[in-house]
Amino acid sequence: MNRSLPVFSLAAFSLLTAFGLPAPATAQTTEGLGAPKTGETVEATQLSKLPKQKKFVEAEYPKEAADKGIEAEVGLLIDIDAAGQVSGVVVTEPATPPGMGFDEAATTAAQQFEFEPAELEGKPIAIQLNYRTRFKLAAKPAPAPVAAAPAPKVPVENFTGTLLERGTRLPLAGVMVTVFRDRDGENGQPGKAEGFEATTDAAGKFHFFDLAPAEWKLVVEAPGFYPFRTTETVSANEAITATYYVERGSYNPYDVTVTATRPRKEVSRTVIDVKVADKVPGTAGDPLAVVQNFAGVARAPATGLLIVRGSAPEDTKIYADGAEIPLIYHFGGLRSVIPVGMLDAIEFYPGNFSTMYGRATGGIVDVQIKKLQPPKLGGYADVSLLDTGVFLEAPINKNAAVAIAGRCSYIGQVIKVFVPDDANVSTLSAPRYCDYQVLGNYRPAAAHDLRLFFFGSDDKLELLFKNPADLEPTLGSSGFSTGTQFYRSILTYKYTPSEKFQNDLRLSQGRNRFQIRGGPLILDVDTYTVQLRDTVRHKFSESFTLAYGFDGFFQKFDALVQLPLPPKEGEPPRNFDLSQVRRSENNDVNQFYPAGYAEVEWRPGGGLFLLPGLRVDRFFSTEQWVFQPRLTARWDVSESLLLKGGAGLFTQEPNVQEGEDDEVFGNPDLLAERAWHYSLGVEWKVRPHITLDATGFYKDLRSLVSKTDAVVVEGDRARPLIYDNGGRGRVYGLELVARHEFTSKFTGWLAYTLSKAERRDSGSDIYRLFDFDQTHILTAVASYLLPRNWQVGGRFRLVSGNPRTPIVGGIFNSSSDRYDPVFGKVNSDRNPMFHQLDLRVDKRWVYDKWMFSLYMDIQNVYNRSNTEQLTYNYNYTESKPAQGLPILTILGMRAEF
């Protein structure tokens, strides 16, 4: 391409002559040495010497114009001084089209020209010269003729397949697929084998091209799967598309891919994966029931209550994803309110828990909800003698997923079959329970994670007595009913822009309803709750992290109570005296409980980890601000040995009934209860899969709410206190745990708790046993995987019987026309030792697109008659034990897809 061509004006005749271009022209001159005056015209023929160009600079072709194939011309007026240098350049005829850079390029090049000066009468003079620069693209050379190349052969895909896991339909990615055939040889001789390999992509697909028409053998040998072999016949002009289901060697519930492990910070924390808990014997397939098998948890007699380290059941809080919920089990502890499909893991803290948790002096159970990432539509249906449950999950897109579940029981109908015709109870619905759940996950970006979980529970128990007087002469009604309903919606938003900052925001709201009705007895409490929890974590370095947050809890309730004064812990149950029924009614009671918390994770070095923290709670009913310092320490002495310890203050306010404002059932002047937790322990990893854990603990319970006969005088009125904070308590013991992680197809644990829980009532100097004190608690759980998807497991428990207050006689009460019991020393006797063996057998059948399982959970295999309490005759002169459940076999089946 010729970037620029100079074109001289015919008016510059003398200059053109210098280039050998004869043309008439005139030149306009300016003042110069010996030159005429400005404005005079000098004919070229008058010059004694014409200017001659010494240096030519080619104008640069504008790139944009060259790319678009645009040519142009630019007219210039060049001032040449008496020394032959260019002193000025003016554009007289701009290029067309304008704005492409032609004018600028021509001017820049002309400014660099050099000339031999023109002369007049032998003297150099300045002169003006018209000049044209033409921008013209050089012609492209014609390409040399090229011989036409033969068209490349396009591979023909004639065998495409997809590998899916049998039963789950999950794609098998990165698996090698081999096809081969035996080729025929010549002259009857065997030929050579021919084979090809392909690897499946993320969707489990593989591709083969240009396979010759023949019978091809296909082989898949993926690690952890049974070998898969088949034969396909490839025909000419025909493509094969196939789907193959490859069976896993073991559909082991313990084969869990761990993506992240939460660092251990607490002195004692037990975390069990839901896939492990689902198969624990004695739980009827309910994963949350496994909590009752942990060290430090006492056996609750068929109530579903959790008694942790000698604390009352109401002292332990239950959370779902960090949001407080009212209960974890349906009636009787048979089932939990959240099914296995919605769960990820169960975290249990028997004491010395984080400052994030509060308003509790016992333990903490935090149920971790599953993070939905389903690769396909899937779910299950579970049918047993207790209930039927279904679960379904599905991806919406790569960033969102949803799941729904529900369960309802029919155990009341089953129990009716076994109730004898002569029983006092004629109609029984015990218990009927239902629960429902909806879960959604949405992750619009890597730093943002949103989760919405909505769930609820509905329990109901109804009894109809043929002769109500046999139960209570003054009851006056043949029916008794109780119901518990609640729902919660929990919105969780996690913002993690970097590893140095994280914010967890949880907002929950819901309603609790609890009702008891029987004759004149009424208990009806309706509560609406809202909880906001926000936790911020700043990681300043690998050794220092600060976490702090806010925990606000609001509740509004209506309550109608028409009952006798209920017995307090330590008081044996007495006969109902309906003449002493009290009535209290509260409406639109609003209560707000703000709290702040902070803790520092500090690793000063040498394997030492310190977690100092502080929580501040404001209790509504007691009008107190309570500061609760806490400290946890862990020291990794070596890779296999760890020492741990902790101390801290934990508080909770009295329950609603005890601190009632209207003074009918409680004392509005009560203060918060306090518990100092101390613990010290050691963990020893004997083998990579075996861990021994020993933890000693001591709890100092203060300001416990206790019954009192004291009276307070207010002006001219004397008021009974009913309760005060004069109670004390102490709990001390040792927890030993040996845990065998899954290996060699075996997993299990052995947990033993040695403890003593005592209380001292208000006005007394003597400690007595706590109602739920159990000195020895031994639990052994084991599961073993057999070939062909069989699994067997067992659980054995040996537990001290609960303390009880003996009845030493009876006194006839003429007003009620019956005998009232005479009690001995509080909790001076015990029920016999409890022991029980439970077994579980699971069998799974795997089909191409779904799986089918049968399970049998046998509780109390050798039909042990465990005494739960004593029942007495009418005048308390004779007694007999009331036995717990006899041998109970629960059959169930589950279909998964």
Side-chain angles (χ1 to χ4, degrees):
M1 178 176 65
N2 188 359
R3 301 187 67 85
S4 62
L5 296 176
V7 180
F8 292 87
S9 170
L10 294 178
F13 170 82
S14 59
L15 183 58
L16 295 173
T17 302
F19 282 92
L21 299 175
T26 60
Q28 183 73 26
T29 64
T30 60
E31 285 188 313
L33 183 62
K37 293 183 179 180
T38 302
E40 293 183 358
T41 301
V42 180
E43 296 290 339
T45 54
Q46 297 177 343
L47 296 176
S48 58
K49 180 182 177 182
L50 298 175
K52 184 178 181 179
Q53 189 170 18
K54 298 190 301 181
K55 180 181 177 181
F56 170 74
V57 177
E58 185 177 10
E60 183 177 358
Y61 211 111
K63 185 177 184 306
E64 181 181 1
D67 292 341
K68 295 181 178 180
I70 298 175
E71 298 181 342
E73 290 186 6
V74 179
L76 302 175
L77 181 63
I78 303 176
D79 291 336
I80 303 173
D81 61 16
Q85 301 296 318
V86 176
S87 59
V89 178
V90 177
V91 176
T92 56
E93 297 182 29
T96 303
M100 300 298 295
F102 289 114
D103 297 350
E104 293 80 358
T107 300
T108 301
Q111 289 173 342
Q112 303 176 62
F113 291 170
E114 293 182 4
F115 297 88
E116 290 182 0
E119 293 181 0
L120 179 63
E121 297 177 358
K123 295 182 179 179
I125 64 172
I127 193 172
Q128 285 186 331
L129 180 68
N130 288 323
Y131 191 89
R132 299 183 70 83
T133 300
R134 179 180 297 135
F135 292 86
K136 188 173 183 180
L137 296 171
K140 295 183 179 180
V146 179
K153 181 181 178 181
V154 179
V156 177
E157 181 180 331
N158 56 356
F159 185 11
T160 303
T162 303
L163 293 189
L164 301 178
E165 181 179 289
R166 193 169 185 232
T168 66
R169 298 175 288 117
L170 295 175
L172 300 181
V175 175
M176 184 71 70
V177 180
T178 304
V179 294
F180 64 93
R181 64 165 180 155
D182 294 326
R183 303 184 62 179
D184 295 333
E186 298 179 356
N187 302 322
Q189 299 296 320
K192 295 182 179 180
E194 179 183 23
F196 302 96
E197 294 179 339
T199 302
T200 58
D201 59 17
K205 291 185 176 298
F206 63 87
H207 310 270
F208 288 104
F209 301 85
D210 297 328
L211 293 182
E215 188 177 82
W216 291 85
K217 298 178 181 179
L218 180 143
V219 177
V220 177
E221 294 184 348
F225 290 80
Y226 289 114
F228 179 85
R229 295 177 175 85
T230 189
T231 301
E232 297 287 354
T233 300
V234 177
S235 303
N237 302 321
E238 184 177 343
I240 295 176
T241 301
T243 300
Y244 303 111
Y245 297 92
V246 184
E247 185 172 352
R248 182 180 288 276
S250 171
Y251 289 80
N252 170 18
Y254 310 105
D255 288 340
V256 181
T257 301
V258 178
T259 57
T261 301
R262 178 177 169 180
R264 291 292 304 271
K265 297 185 292 185
E266 296 75 14
V267 179
S268 295
R269 174 172 66 101
T270 301
V271 180
I272 185 167
D273 189 276
V274 67
K275 295 182 180 180
V276 178
D278 186 32
K279 303 295 183 182
V280 171
T283 63
D286 193 288
L288 291 180
V290 76
V291 175
Q292 301 174 35
N293 299 312
F294 292 159
V297 180
R299 187 188 70 88
T303 61
L305 301 176
L306 290 177
I307 304 160
V308 180
R309 284 187 179 174
S311 290
E314 61 269 21
D315 298 343
T316 294
K317 293 292 185 181
I318 311 297
Y319 293 84
D321 249 6
E324 186 177 335
I325 60 178
L327 53 87
I328 191 174
Y329 298 115
H330 290 294
F331 280 138
L334 293 174
R335 288 291 199 189
S336 59
V337 297
I338 304 176
V340 61
M342 293 289 183
L343 299 179
D344 178 55
I346 305 163
E347 296 189 355
F348 169 64
Y349 308 86
N352 289 106
F353 39 85
S354 167
T355 57
M356 187 183 80
Y357 301 107
R359 310 182 189 102
T361 58
I364 296 292
V365 176
D366 198 345
V367 180
Q368 302 299 307
I369 305 304
K370 177 195 292 186
K371 181 178 181 180
L372 285 180
Q373 293 177 318
K376 60 175 180 59
L377 175 68
Y380 67 78
D382 193 314
V383 181
S384 73
L385 293 178
L386 298 177
D387 52 37
T388 293
V390 294
F391 170 77
L392 185 67
E393 64 179 352
I396 298 177
N397 53 42
K398 65 178 182 178
N399 298 324
V402 66
I404 60 174
R407 175 170 49 191
C408 201
S409 75
Y410 33 76
I411 188 174
Q413 304 303 318
V414 175
I415 293 177
K416 281 184 181 181
V417 177
F418 299 96
V419 175
D421 295 336
D422 59 349
N424 186 30
V425 180
S426 61
T427 302
L428 175 68
S429 175
R432 187 272 294 161
Y433 56 84
C434 294
D435 55 61
Y436 50 90
Q437 301 82 23
V438 179
L439 175 62
N441 266 97
Y442 178 53
R443 192 163 189 172
H448 305 272
D449 192 351
L450 287 167
R451 176 188 303 172
L452 178 62
F453 183 43
F454 178 79
F455 66 108
S457 170
D458 184 2
D459 295 9
K460 191 173 184 180
L461 170 66
E462 292 180 345
L463 299 173
L464 182 62
F465 298 96
K466 294 178 180 178
N467 185 7
D470 291 343
L471 177 68
E472 168 55 46
T474 60
L475 187 59
S477 173
S478 60
F480 174 85
S481 66
T482 178
T484 303
Q485 302 88 32
F486 84 92
Y487 73 85
R488 281 294 185 278
S489 59
I490 304 174
L491 176 64
T492 303
Y493 171 48
K494 291 187 177 181
Y495 175 56
T496 313
S498 71
E499 65 173 5
K500 296 185 179 299
F501 180 84
Q502 178 177 314
N503 189 90
D504 290 354
L505 176 65
R506 289 179 174 87
L507 177 63
S508 70
Q509 68 86 31
R511 183 182 180 187
N512 313 327
R513 184 79 182 270
F514 182 66
Q515 295 174 301
I516 295 178
R517 291 184 180 270
L521 305 180
I522 300 174
L523 175 60
D524 191 340
V525 181
D526 189 358
T527 307
Y528 176 78
T529 68
V530 177
Q531 184 175 12
L532 173 66
R533 181 193 300 275
D534 188 45
T535 304
V536 180
R537 289 176 54 85
H538 291 278
K539 185 177 180 180
F540 295 96
S541 67
E542 293 299 325
S543 61
F544 190 87
T545 299
L546 172 64
Y548 56 90
F550 172 79
D551 176 14
F553 186 86
F554 169 82
Q555 68 177 11
K556 174 183 178 182
F557 70 87
D558 300 321
L560 172 60
V561 182
Q562 190 167 289
L563 295 171
L565 192 66
K568 185 66 176 170
E569 186 277 326
E571 291 185 323
R574 302 176 182 271
N575 290 328
F576 280 114
D577 188 354
L578 298 185
S579 64
Q580 300 297 320
V581 167
R582 303 183 179 202
R583 180 183 174 90
S584 172
E585 186 170 1
N586 293 279
N587 295 309
D588 292 332
V589 178
N590 298 307
Q591 297 178 331
F592 179 56
Y593 302 87
Y597 53 89
E599 59 186 19
V600 172
E601 301 175 16
W602 182 33
R603 293 174 173 83
L608 184 62
F609 174 80
L610 299 176
L611 186 70
L614 177 67
R615 180 182 176 95
V616 182
D617 273 282
R618 164 69 175 178
F619 293 115
F620 181 87
S621 64
T622 64
E623 299 182 350
Q624 289 176 279
W625 287 97
V626 183
F627 292 80
Q628 302 154 77
R630 302 174 189 177
L631 173 65
T632 298
R634 297 174 66 89
W635 180 28
D636 290 307
V637 180
S638 65
E639 293 184 359
S640 60
L641 185 63
L642 180 143
L643 302 180
K644 55 187 179 177
L649 177 62
F650 302 81
T651 62
Q652 67 183 28
E653 71 168 0
N655 64 42
V656 174
Q657 170 255 317
E658 294 169 342
E660 192 180 30
D661 286 340
D662 61 12
E663 305 172 2
V664 176
F665 285 94
N667 178 6
D669 297 324
L670 292 177
L671 300 177
E673 297 182 327
R674 301 168 181 256
W676 284 94
H677 290 199
Y678 306 94
S679 57
L680 187 64
V682 58
E683 294 179 18
W684 179 29
K685 206 168 189 65
V686 183
R687 293 286 187 272
H689 54 277
I690 299 178
T691 303
L692 301 181
D693 189 332
T695 303
F697 62 89
Y698 180 84
K699 291 168 62 171
D700 182 7
L701 310 176
R702 303 184 180 186
S703 300
L704 298 183
V705 176
S706 177
K707 275 284 189 70
T708 179
D709 296 327
V711 175
V712 61
V713 178
E714 297 175 342
D716 58 353
R717 183 175 73 98
R719 174 174 62 88
L721 287 179
I722 307 177
Y723 301 105
D724 65 11
N725 289 104
R728 290 289 300 271
R730 61 190 181 193
V731 186
Y732 49 92
L734 176 67
E735 296 168 353
L736 301 174
V737 180
R739 184 176 295 105
H740 190 291
E741 306 295 339
F742 178 78
T743 184
S744 301
K745 301 182 178 181
F746 175 82
T747 187
W749 69 86
L750 178 67
Y752 171 68
T753 303
L754 173 67
S755 70
K756 190 170 186 179
E758 298 176 314
R759 298 292 190 272
R760 191 183 72 187
D761 297 320
S762 178
S764 174
D765 296 327
I766 301 174
Y767 279 93
R768 57 166 177 82
L769 288 179
F770 174 56
D771 279 356
F772 294 100
D773 172 78
Q774 293 171 5
T775 308
H776 305 281
I777 308 172
L778 175 67
T779 304
V781 176
S783 291
Y784 188 78
L785 291 176
L786 297 171
R788 306 306 302 179
N789 295 316
W790 283 88
Q791 181 178 340
V792 296
R795 175 182 71 168
F796 178 75
R797 289 182 293 167
L798 178 66
V799 185
S800 298
N802 284 335
R804 59 182 174 85
T805 300
I807 296 179
V808 297
I811 298 178
F812 182 74
N813 188 333
S814 59
S815 62
S816 60
D817 194 26
R818 63 181 174 185
Y819 282 84
D820 290 334
V822 176
F823 295 100
K825 187 177 179 181
V826 175
N827 289 342
S828 60
D829 201 357
R830 277 189 184 274
N831 291 328
M833 182 77 74
F834 170 95
H835 55 88
Q836 179 175 304
L837 175 65
D838 307 319
L839 296 178
R840 182 181 173 100
V841 180
D842 290 82
K843 166 60 180 172
R844 176 184 280 117
W845 288 268
V846 182
Y847 301 96
D848 284 349
K849 298 183 179 181
W850 65 294
M851 293 184 291
F852 179 73
S853 302
L854 286 178
Y855 59 87
M856 179 173 62
D857 199 310
I858 309 175
Q859 299 184 20
N860 198 7
V861 172
Y862 51 80
N863 200 24
R864 162 71 175 178
S865 297
N866 288 300
T867 300
E868 298 294 352
Q869 61 183 12
L870 296 180
T871 60
Y872 293 84
N873 64 346
Y874 74 100
N875 61 0
Y876 299 97
T877 57
E878 297 179 2
S879 66
K880 62 179 180 180
Q883 308 295 343
L885 289 175
I887 183 172
L888 176 64
T889 301
I890 299 175
L891 298 175
M893 55 185 178
R894 177 182 293 184
E896 304 173 64
F897 67 98

